[in-house]
Amino acid sequence: MPASPPLLARDVHKRYGATRALDGLDLEVSPGTVHALLGPNGAGKSTAVNVFTTLTRPDSGEVRVAGHDLRRSPRKVRAAIGLVGQTSALDEVLHGRENLVMFGRLHDLSKPTARARAGDLLDAYGLADAADRKVSTYSGGMRRRLDIAAALMTRPHLLFLDEPTTGLDPRGRNEVWKAIRRVVGEGTTVLLTTQYLDEADQLADRITVLGAGRVIAEGTSAELKDALGGDRVIVTARTPDELARAAEVLGGTPDPETLQVAVEAGPSGGAAAMVAAIRALDAASVDVGGAVLRRPTLDEVFLHLTAESDEPQTRGAAR
Amino acid sequence: MTVQTLRHGWILTLRDLKHWQREPWTPIVGIAFSVMLLLMFGYLFGGAIEVPGGGDYLPYLLPGMFTLTMLFGIESTMGAIADDTKRGITDRFRSMPIAGVAVPLGRAAADLANSAVQLAVLMAGGLVVGWQVDGSVGAALLAAGLLLWLRLAMLWVGIYLGLALRGEGALMSVQILVWPFGFLSNIFVAPETMPGWLGFLAGWNPVSATAAACRELFGNPTGTTGGVLADHAVALALAWPALLLAVFVPLAARAYRNLAR
Ligand SMILES: Nc1ncnc2c1ncn2[C@@H]1O[C@H](COP(=O)(O)OP(=O)(O)O)[C@@H](O)[C@H]1O
Ligand SMILES: [Mg+2]
């Protein structure tokens, strides 16, 4: 008998008034992986997490978490998961250690067990020095790590992280990334939501792109990048005349407003495309203001994927 | 209710008690505020207020002030609940395998303990400024019990409001509205001296029952010369909070389950 996946969602719908926050969401998370739900603000990421963690009741659809039906056995689901929500869920007045022990005790760990586990987690997540200080003195990154540790007190099967690095500075973000990698190392499956392509790229084994409450694309980071097209060379001209000539040489479509022309890099990669573009401009004696190599932005990715999902035949290919 | 739920509630009570231990100015300011009100009404306005049926104003006022303090407890309960909900800690509790009532239960026990201390300080302060208890010890203890019984009902009203109203202005609106609610009662002025319809409303204010019962049990001036409230004060002081609890405990439980954000 195959073990049931940590999370299995079929055709989940949730409306808020006229807003379809979830509009037929399908999702399957494999054990021992980091799965990213990637989507812009308002895509339905938090609603999905709230439904999976029993906080919000879906209008319809089937969800099984760690093999338990969400509607029939919500308590069993709760015992199997950990949640790190979008807003910090810590007691600001209590110390870091006291927070962990309290959540452990609420999970019915004995006092010595809760203390021992809290000590281990504080060490593991680099909070040992701050363990006996009020949480209100913690930095954003420390709070998030304590939040994660609090959700791990009972070694859940599945840990939900809703935008764990939004609002953190680069250092805090790196600390949290390290923490998330450690979580998977200990055998907990992770479902995280993010607005950042590079975050999903860095952390996730599998990425589901969410737009307007439904799945737009799904795959590994490499698969998605192939589907999206790779780097592009952006050449910026100084005058409209220069722009026209550069566009002619490079074969791209000029944008008269930004005075830029973009060229997609082929299979040989971004660096090669950059060299080729500069050579071509030089050979034709076209002077330009500058040239940069750029990945498609998340906005472009979404535009691209949303346009694609309107055509049913390509949608299947992208998934 | 299972032993497990009670234990979870107790763990959460300890959390709140630790807050007061770490940041004691919150309860201290609460107590100082009641003492200030007591002094202000007792000495500033006391001389000008007449008590029907005879007696001094100060011993009339004190049981009313105890009652008012219980009523004002709504604010601190509501504020604490709304704060947890805003911070996301309530969501974490809701995603854990603990019974829905454990969280409000923990809050209730902690706030009740806080109010008991507040009440003891106010009573001691009252005795210092000349308040006297002219009843039996049993009657006085019953009066204290009725006050905490009212506080328990106000607690659940506060829990419900804290869960249901989460807008920025909600807490402030409640902070403002408790004043007319407190004034439109027998706490400061006897309803018999009010215009007819105001006196009628004041008589049927739930807090009036508790204040009237406490005056009777402490052996203080009651400020009435008859009527339903005078005849059945203790029964009403038991019944009103029971009614409020019957309404607001289920409402709060439902609001907690449906906190879909
Ligand atoms: N409690 C709610 N009431 C009304 N609308 C909501 C509520 N929660 C979410 N929404 C709406 O549902 C959509 C999805 O929201 P959300 O799941 O928070 O997106 P994300 O987390 O991806 O930013 C948005 O349009 C949002 O405005
Ligand atoms: Mg969100």
Side-chain angles (χ1 to χ4, degrees):
Chain A
M1 195 181 84
S4 51
L7 182 98
L8 187 65
R10 286 279 166 264
D11 200 27
V12 179
H13 289 259
K14 174 74 191 178
R15 293 173 70 137
Y16 291 108
T19 311
R20 293 165 193 267
L22 295 180
D23 194 16
L25 175 68
D26 291 320
L27 191 64
E28 179 169 348
V29 176
S30 309
T33 61
V34 177
H35 197 119
L37 264 187
L38 172 66
N41 226 332
K45 303 183 296 296
S46 293
T47 306
V49 168
N50 289 348
V51 165
F52 299 153
T53 53
T54 75
L55 299 182
T56 301
R57 219 162 311 161
D59 299 334
S60 65
E62 196 198 332
V63 181
R64 299 184 74 81
V65 179
H68 305 294
D69 185 282
L70 194 75
R71 283 164 200 272
R72 252 168 286 154
S73 339
R75 215 175 151 120
K76 283 187 180 149
V77 169
R78 289 183 196 128
I81 61 169
L83 167 65
V84 178
Q86 209 167 331
T87 46
S88 161
L90 300 163
D91 187 308
E92 298 277 316
V93 179
L94 296 189
H95 298 164
R97 189 191 307 278
E98 290 168 339
N99 265 283
L100 295 191
V101 172
M102 176 181 73
F103 289 117
R105 298 276 291 133
L106 286 171
H107 270 296
D108 294 329
L109 299 184
S110 73
K111 234 181 230 174
T113 312
R115 290 222 182 96
R117 177 78 177 145
D120 290 348
L121 287 168
L122 289 163
D123 285 341
Y125 290 93
L127 293 165
D129 292 340
D132 299 303
R133 264 174 28 204
K134 282 187 193 173
V135 171
S136 54
T137 66
Y138 282 25
S139 73
M142 291 164 77
R143 256 167 235 245
R144 281 272 108 167
R145 280 180 286 145
L146 186 65
D147 241 332
I148 292 171
L152 292 176
M153 281 299 286
T154 52
R155 307 172 199 274
H157 290 300
L158 179 58
L159 176 67
F160 293 91
L161 298 158
D162 195 3
E163 299 201 20
T165 63
T166 299
L168 295 186
D169 59 17
R171 186 175 152 196
R173 189 168 151 164
N174 270 322
E175 293 169 358
V176 170
W177 281 2
K178 247 172 71 188
I180 294 171
R181 290 197 186 102
R182 180 178 271 277
V183 173
V184 218
E186 289 185 7
T188 291
T189 304
V190 173
L191 178 66
L192 68 88
T193 78
T194 178
Q195 300 193 33
Y196 309 118
L197 194 56
D198 63 328
E199 182 160 288
D201 196 9
Q202 283 285 324
L203 294 173
D205 301 301
R206 216 171 163 75
I207 302 171
T208 297
V209 184
L210 204 63
R214 54 163 88 194
V215 177
I216 299 175
E218 185 170 321
T220 63
S221 158
E223 283 167 358
L224 285 177
K225 272 189 207 148
D226 286 350
L228 300 179
D231 296 343
R232 45 195 71 188
V233 180
I234 312 279
V235 174
T236 307
R238 286 166 303 192
T239 62
D241 184 43
E242 218 174 74
L243 179 70
R245 286 172 52 212
E248 195 181 326
V249 171
L250 298 172
T253 319
D255 179 348
E257 240 170 67
T258 56
L259 290 182
Q260 283 182 339
V261 55
V263 189
E264 298 231 352
S268 47
M274 176 65 109
V275 172
I278 304 277
R279 281 210 182 115
L281 289 170
D282 191 42
S285 307
V286 181
D287 253 356
V288 291
V292 291
L293 199 58
R294 198 162 62 73
R295 321 220 86 186
T297 64
L298 193 54
D299 285 342
E300 286 163 348
V301 170
F302 280 110
L303 275 178
H304 182 83
L305 286 174
T306 323
E308 208 171 62
S309 71
D310 289 341
E311 303 158 41
Q313 68 276 22
T314 49
R315 185 180 175 194
R319 291 185 59 186
Chain B
M1 191 162 322
T2 65
V3 176
Q4 190 193 33
T5 303
L6 289 175
R7 195 179 59 240
H8 293 157
W10 176 240
I11 292 166
L12 293 166
T13 302
L14 291 180
R15 165 193 174 218
D16 293 324
L17 294 181
K18 197 158 257 172
H19 277 210
W20 291 326
Q21 180 201 331
R22 292 251 157 90
E23 296 183 342
W25 31 265
T26 314
I28 287 174
V29 166
I31 292 173
F33 181 68
S34 336
V35 171
M36 184 200 78
L37 278 184
L38 170 71
L39 296 177
M40 201 171 78
F41 280 95
Y43 291 107
L44 233 50
F45 310 137
I49 296 175
E50 159 224 6
V51 182
D56 287 339
Y57 183 63
L58 199 75
Y60 172 82
L61 175 67
L62 266 151
M65 291 309 301
F66 303 153
T67 309
L68 190 73
T69 305
M70 302 298 110
L71 170 66
F72 281 5
I74 280 192
E75 292 170 26
S76 62
T77 304
M78 177 181 172
I81 292 277
D83 212 43
D84 273 359
T85 306
K86 195 173 71 203
R87 278 186 207 287
I89 196 163
T90 304
D91 274 351
R92 170 163 280 157
F93 290 143
R94 291 177 65 236
S95 76
M96 291 171 68
I98 56 180
V101 292
V103 176
L105 206 66
R107 174 94 258 149
D111 279 1
L112 215 52
N114 180 28
S115 290
V117 171
Q118 219 172 350
L119 199 57
V121 171
L122 262 187
M123 285 183 176
L127 292 171
V128 169
V129 298
W131 173 60
Q132 285 182 343
V133 178
D134 298 324
S136 68
V137 174
L141 285 178
L142 176 58
L146 287 176
L147 286 164
L148 292 176
W149 179 234
L150 176 71
R151 177 67 181 99
L152 188 67
M154 291 305 147
L155 227 153
W156 283 91
V157 176
I159 290 171
Y160 170 69
L161 292 177
L163 290 170
L165 311 174
R166 270 170 296 131
E168 282 297 317
L171 183 59
M172 224 201 317
S173 315
V174 170
Q175 278 170 341
I176 291 169
L177 284 174
V178 290
W179 283 95
F181 199 82
F183 275 104
L184 201 58
S185 72
N186 65 359
I187 285 177
F188 296 104
V189 181
E192 288 184 17
T193 66
M194 298 177 182
W197 61 277
L198 265 186
F200 177 80
L201 282 182
W204 284 101
N205 187 331
V207 300
S208 295
T210 304
C214 288
R215 285 173 183 138
E216 190 184 309
L217 291 166
F218 286 135
N220 295 138
T222 56
T224 71
T225 49
V228 180
L229 194 54
D231 296 342
H232 306 285
V234 173
L236 283 170
L238 283 168
W240 267 123
L243 181 69
L244 288 169
L245 285 167
V247 172
F248 282 95
V249 171
L251 277 179
R254 214 186 60 169
Y256 181 82
R257 267 200 310 277
N258 295 342
L259 261 186
R261 287 197 298 163

